[in-house]
């Protein structure tokens, strides 16, 4: 057992309390929440000053998109023009390069206050579409740039090793990506994303689950499933997935991110993307619909009545000019809101919380659309519910995943502790604990050092 003392801690509906002492077991779970005076130096108790919150959970990430930050703003355009730059970045990845980049990105997340991440992963194969697993690709390239980096599941295992190095909990969402658009084959730049057909994807997913379970601690690294979108997965595959996908797996999908997606879906199938999922029994509490920006009233009712999670990525949706999603209406309909950083234009849970509320204010003309407590829930427990990860919270039975915030910085000084989601940023995070272990202090990772240095080195390899 170990002990963690918090100068102040946010305990959910109970608000912020002083002098909180947490006891944890050997697995890093909280076994007791009480109060105690500040421990003496040398007592062996981990002391967290400031205001301590449950660490954030990142419910939607594409780690390699971090290579695009600050490099896509030179001209006008939209999501579709940005996507061409994204494909170029994807094409430059090898397992070794991706492991180094993802390690840096995951370290950046930890220092910002995240303890877990759902990685929406579709860069499965070599650039020409040939599977990893020995030998050379059709282009003659040898990707073996490190130990075990050209074997089966090379890209997936690279991400798992990156998460293990950074100490972040990973739900690796292995993604089905079969088409380049509704009724279109994969384009050349999309070949490495595809598995040929839905049965090949399901078989590879099964093999991946067994491989990851044999190599990594399931408390920290596990596998879930994702469908890229209704653009990327034909309707004919949906009943197969509904029938064969193990029911315990989290299932994510990009949903109604763009009006063009909705228009194509209506033209081909006669229903919206949400309606198409409902047609095949894929709308349920295990589903996480990412973005859900352009929904009809019926879509909102379908997602809400299913108890689905809607993962919003407000800073990415703003960066890509996607639009403002109906977060309040979805919540009122019964959906659970989660937050993610998606393309990592920003890696900061506090700014995602703020952007969610600010988007609602801009769209509605009203303030206070989400309370600070609701924002914190979306960034922690709401997001964790989209993963195979312990539910976030400072309570008995929860993982001791914590982030301490300085309430006296230039940004936060004078703030009510419970209103820090509207004033703090990741620059105010002074300590991050994952599973009872101190992993970051003042922006420096305890094992990996300064994430900016790791990022600089990794980005040079794929620039």
């Amino acid at each position: 057992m170990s002990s963690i003392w918090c100068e102040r801690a946010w305990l959910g509906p109970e608000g912020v309390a002083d002098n909180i002492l947490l006891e944890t077991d050997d697995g890093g779970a909280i076994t007791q929440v009480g109060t105690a005076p500040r421990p003496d130096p040398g007592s062996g108790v981990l002391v967290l000053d400031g205001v301590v919150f449950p660490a954030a959970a990142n419910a939607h990430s594409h780690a390699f998109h971090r290579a695009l930050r600050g490099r896509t703003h030179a001209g006008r355009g939209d999501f579709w023009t940005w996507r061409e730059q994204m494909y170029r970045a994807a094409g430059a990845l090898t397992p070794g390069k991706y492991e180094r980049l993802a390690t840096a990105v995951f370290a950046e997340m930890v220092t910002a206050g995240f303890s877990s991440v759902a990685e929406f992963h579709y860069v499965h194969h070599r650039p020409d579409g040939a599977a990893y697993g020995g030998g050379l690709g059709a282009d003659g390239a040898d990707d073996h740039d490190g130990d075990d980096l050209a074997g089966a599941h090379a890209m997936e295992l690279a991400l798992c090793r990156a998460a293990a190095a950074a100490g972040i909990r990973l739900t690796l969402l292995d993604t089905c990506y079969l088409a380049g658009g509704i009724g279109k084959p994969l384009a050349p730049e999309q070949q490495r994303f595809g598995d040929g057909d839905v049965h090949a994807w399901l078989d590879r997913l099964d093999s991946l689950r067994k491989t990851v379970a044999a190599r990594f601690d399931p408390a920290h690294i596990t596998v879930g499933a994702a469908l890229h979108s209704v653009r990327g997965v034909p309707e004919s595959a949906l009943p197969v997935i509904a029938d064969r996908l193990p029911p315990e797996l989290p299932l994510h999908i990009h949903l109604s991110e763009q009006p063009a997606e909705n228009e194509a879906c209506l033209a081909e199938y006669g229903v919206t993307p949400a309606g198409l999922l409902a047609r095949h029994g894929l709308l349920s509490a295990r589903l996480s619909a990412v973005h859900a920006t352009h929904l009809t009233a019926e879509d909102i009712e379908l997602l809400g009545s299913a108890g689905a999670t809607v993962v919003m990525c407000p800073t990415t949706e703003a960066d890509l000019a996607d639009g403002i999603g109906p977060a309040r209406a979805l919540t009122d309909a019964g959906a659970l809101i989660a937050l993610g950083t998606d393309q990592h234009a920003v890696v900061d849970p506090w700014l995602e919380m703020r952007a969610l509320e600010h988007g609602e204010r801009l769209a509605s003309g009203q303030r206070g659309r989400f309370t600070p407590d609701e924002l914190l829930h979306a960034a922690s427990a709401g997001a964790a519910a989209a993963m195979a990860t312990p539910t976030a919270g400072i309570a008995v039975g929860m993982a001791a995943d914590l982030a301490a915030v300085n309430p006296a910085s230039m940004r936060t000084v004078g703030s009510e502790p419970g209103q820090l989601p509207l004033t703090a940023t990741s620059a105010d995070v002074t300590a991050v604990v994952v599973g009872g272990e101190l992993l970051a202090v003042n922006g420096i990772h305890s094992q990996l050092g300064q994430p900016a240095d790791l990022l600089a080195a990794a980005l040079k390899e794929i620039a």
Side-chain angles (χ1 to χ4, degrees), residues 407-426:
S409 75
M410 285 296 295
R411 292 162 294 279
T412 61
V413 64
S415 301
E416 293 289 337
Q419 295 188 31
L420 285 169
L422 279 302
T423 60
T425 73
S426 61

Side-chain angles (χ1 to χ4, degrees), residues 51-433:
V51 182
V52 178
F53 295 92
N58 191 344
H60 189 65
S61 164
H62 301 291
F64 79 91
H65 288 193
R66 177 61 179 82
L68 301 175
R69 185 191 294 179
R71 300 183 179 190
T72 64
H73 308 290
R76 295 186 177 183
D78 57 15
F79 168 84
W80 305 103
T81 52
W82 168 88
R83 191 176 69 156
E84 298 307 313
Q85 296 171 285
M86 181 269 288
Y87 286 150
R88 288 195 290 274
L93 298 173
T94 66
K97 290 176 181 178
Y98 203 8
E99 181 173 343
R100 291 183 285 276
L101 176 60
T103 299
V105 174
F106 292 155
E108 181 182 10
M109 289 182 196
V110 169
T111 59
F114 289 106
S115 66
S116 59
V117 59
E119 180 63 26
F120 199 108
H121 169 65
Y122 51 81
V123 189
H124 301 303
H125 308 300
R126 300 175 190 270
D128 61 8
Y132 288 97
L136 305 180
D139 58 4
D142 183 354
D143 301 87
H144 197 92
D145 52 358
D147 183 46
D148 195 31
L149 293 183
H153 308 304
M155 296 297 272
E156 291 74 29
L157 294 175
L159 287 167
C160 292
R161 286 191 294 269
I168 198 167
R169 300 182 194 275
L170 171 68
T171 299
L172 180 63
L173 298 168
D174 194 84
T175 301
C176 182
Y177 201 142
L178 303 175
I182 295 176
K184 299 178 181 179
L186 292 172
E189 61 271 19
Q190 298 170 317
Q191 291 301 312
R192 71 185 311 182
F193 308 157
D195 286 298
D197 63 35
V198 65
H199 297 285
W201 171 66
L202 286 162
D203 290 345
R204 188 179 55 75
L205 173 64
D206 181 63
S207 172
L208 175 63
R209 292 181 67 204
K210 292 173 182 174
T211 300
V212 170
R215 297 191 185 193
F216 298 95
D217 179 357
H220 286 269
I221 297 176
T222 191
V223 175
L227 313 181
H228 180 269
S229 59
V230 300
R231 292 182 287 110
V233 180
E235 182 180 19
S236 60
L238 298 181
V240 179
I241 292 166
D243 179 59
R244 284 192 55 190
L245 194 68
E248 70 273 14
L249 288 191
L251 178 64
H252 291 224
I253 185 171
H254 294 123
L255 189 82
S256 293
E257 183 177 3
Q258 294 292 323
E261 174 188 319
N262 292 349
E263 293 162 5
C265 190
L266 282 164
E268 182 71 17
Y269 304 127
V271 291
T272 63
L276 188 64
L277 296 182
R279 177 184 290 174
H280 295 284
L282 290 170
L283 278 188
S284 69
R286 79 157 169 179
L287 183 76
S288 292
V290 182
H291 301 305
T293 307
H294 303 281
L295 301 178
T296 66
E298 184 180 2
D299 293 337
I300 292 171
E301 176 59 29
L302 283 171
L303 290 163
S305 61
T309 297
V310 174
V311 182
M312 295 194 157
C313 308
T315 62
T316 287
E317 288 146 10
D319 183 75
L320 298 182
D322 284 347
I324 299 170
R328 185 71 257 172
L330 283 160
T331 302
D332 293 342
L336 182 66
I337 300 298
L339 292 172
T341 63
D342 194 359
Q343 62 140 340
H344 315 306
V346 173
V347 175
D348 188 326
W350 311 94
L351 292 183
E352 297 296 344
M353 287 185 255
R354 193 128 72 248
L356 178 68
E357 170 63 13
H358 286 174
E360 277 285 322
R361 293 183 184 188
L362 289 168
S364 69
Q366 298 177 337
R367 301 180 77 242
R369 299 283 287 176
F370 287 94
T371 68
D373 281 2
E374 287 178 310
L375 296 175
L376 286 164
H377 187 274
S380 56
M387 310 180 205
T389 191
T391 302
I394 302 177
V396 172
M398 302 299 179
D401 291 2
L402 312 167
V405 173
N406 177 9
S409 75
M410 285 296 295
R411 292 162 294 279
T412 61
V413 64
S415 301
E416 293 289 337
Q419 295 188 31
L420 285 169
L422 279 302
T423 60
T425 73
S426 61
D428 302 309
V429 174
T430 57
V432 180
V433 174

